[in-house]
Amino acid sequence: MLPFNLPTTAIQTVDTPIPADQKNLAFGYTNALLDLVPTLQAPILHFWEMQPTVILGLKDKRLPDLTAAIQQVRAHGYDWVMRNSGGLAVVADPGILNVSLFSPLITPPISVDNAYEQMMALVRAAWPELTIKHFEVTHSYCPGDYDLSVDGRKIAGISQRRSPHALVTMLYLSVAGDQTARGQLIQDFYRAGLADQENTWGFPDVDPATMTTTAELLHQSMTLADAKQRFLNACTDAGLTVGHEQLDHLLTEPEFNTRLEHATAQMVRRQPRLNS
């Protein structure tokens, strides 16, 4: 089997910090890179991080009082943006690393569960000191079957998107920072958004104690640069040829930049309007 069940033994990497005033660019890149994969015909490892921002899922639009929920986000000193996929709110800030693994779809295509396992194998290889398990951590934010946890405390969540010819599996990893404060932020977000109504929508009852960071678990300081290097080392150790030149060239092509601008503009138009 090829490393991490990828269709090739080479992988291209790209790192795109998202400016605070261009929040929608994060998901513009996701859509544009997904479209680029069939041309590249190689997997892509995309690292990105944001300034303090709560990333909402489409389900969060159902909150009875989304405006009050957003007011809580701002009271914590965070901005907000809504992604173009389901799920629930997660936190992004300089202690959270987002990692997207893009891959061409082969025939027969990799299953949904196997794609999640692919990302989990990469995380385990990058953090060999930790015994990482997957199961839903019920009182975490954005709970799901592929929550990654250590000793029952969540450190990461995984989601997935597909096009006819490519797949992206997306991970957010709590590397460092105050994870308890992040949990309190999302707890306050949902409590305000529910506006004392019965929670019939399945929004999580967040307990900040259910989540932690890799830095806390390893009892050492850690930066996002350290975390990125761990992922790159895991790829190299698995025998993958890691490069960026081919992808760098494609990202400068007018066709890609037109696609990126279009995808980002679509995300801007999809943002919900709040009540005054």
Side-chain angles (χ1 to χ4, degrees):
M1 181 184 293
L2 292 171
F4 308 121
N5 199 23
L6 294 172
T8 73
T9 57
I11 189 167
Q12 293 282 297
T13 66
V14 62
D15 190 345
T16 56
I18 305 300
D21 60 348
Q22 299 182 50
K23 301 167 294 183
N24 290 284
L25 192 60
F27 309 103
Y29 264 112
T30 299
N31 294 345
L33 288 171
L34 193 61
D35 289 342
L36 185 65
V37 169
T39 300
L40 183 66
Q41 279 303 301
I44 298 170
L45 196 61
H46 179 208
F47 300 119
W48 57 277
E49 65 261 19
M50 300 180 79
Q51 294 305 304
T53 306
V54 172
I55 302 173
L56 311 185
L58 291 178
K59 186 175 179 179
D60 291 319
K61 287 200 294 187
R62 302 178 190 173
L63 280 166
D65 195 340
L66 181 58
T67 298
I70 295 299
Q71 288 172 346
Q72 280 297 315
V73 169
R74 289 172 171 155
H76 281 264
Y78 278 67
D79 202 348
W80 68 280
V81 67
M82 181 165 284
R83 64 187 183 272
N84 59 331
S85 59
L88 296 157
V90 297
V91 177
D93 62 35
I96 302 287
L97 180 62
N98 293 278
V99 184
S100 298
L101 178 60
F102 296 82
S103 184
L105 282 178
I106 58 175
T107 304
I110 185 173
S111 71
V112 171
D113 284 347
N114 284 344
Y116 282 127
E117 294 284 344
Q118 187 179 63
M119 178 61 87
M120 188 167 66
L122 177 59
V123 176
R124 283 174 168 164
W127 307 88
E129 311 97 316
L130 302 178
T131 302
I132 299 173
K133 298 181 179 180
H134 84 83
F135 56 84
E136 182 174 312
V137 180
T138 308
H139 293 290
S140 66
Y141 54 70
C142 199
D145 290 343
Y146 276 88
D147 292 342
L148 302 187
S149 62
V150 177
D151 297 330
R153 298 176 73 195
K154 181 173 173 177
I155 59 170
I158 310 176
S159 60
Q160 190 176 147
R161 286 189 59 210
R162 293 178 183 232
S163 72
H165 305 291
L167 158 75
V168 57
T169 307
M170 298 164 283
L171 170 89
Y172 72 85
L173 176 67
S174 297
V175 175
D178 191 340
Q179 188 58 46
T180 299
R182 294 180 187 123
Q184 186 66 57
L185 161 61
I186 302 301
Q187 182 188 75
D188 292 346
F189 169 80
Y190 283 117
R191 285 181 175 174
L194 282 167
D196 295 324
Q197 295 192 32
E198 183 181 356
N199 185 4
T200 58
W201 300 270
F203 293 114
D205 179 14
V206 176
D207 177 359
T210 61
M211 299 179 70
T212 187
T213 68
T214 57
E216 183 179 349
L217 289 167
L218 296 175
H219 306 291
Q220 64 185 60
S221 62
M222 191 165 292
T223 66
L224 297 194
D226 296 330
K228 293 171 194 176
Q229 192 59 53
R230 280 176 170 260
F231 282 105
L232 295 176
N233 291 345
C235 290
T236 302
D237 292 345
L240 289 169
T241 301
V242 179
H244 58 84
E245 293 82 2
Q246 184 183 5
L247 181 57
D248 286 349
H249 173 71
L250 288 173
L251 296 185
T252 63
E253 291 289 321
E255 181 181 355
F256 177 79
N257 283 285
T258 298
R259 184 182 293 127
L260 177 60
E261 289 173 6
H262 176 71
T264 304
Q266 280 187 318
M267 291 303 306
V268 172
R269 290 193 293 271
R270 288 173 178 167
Q271 297 306 299
R273 294 173 182 249
L274 300 179
N275 296 326
S276 301

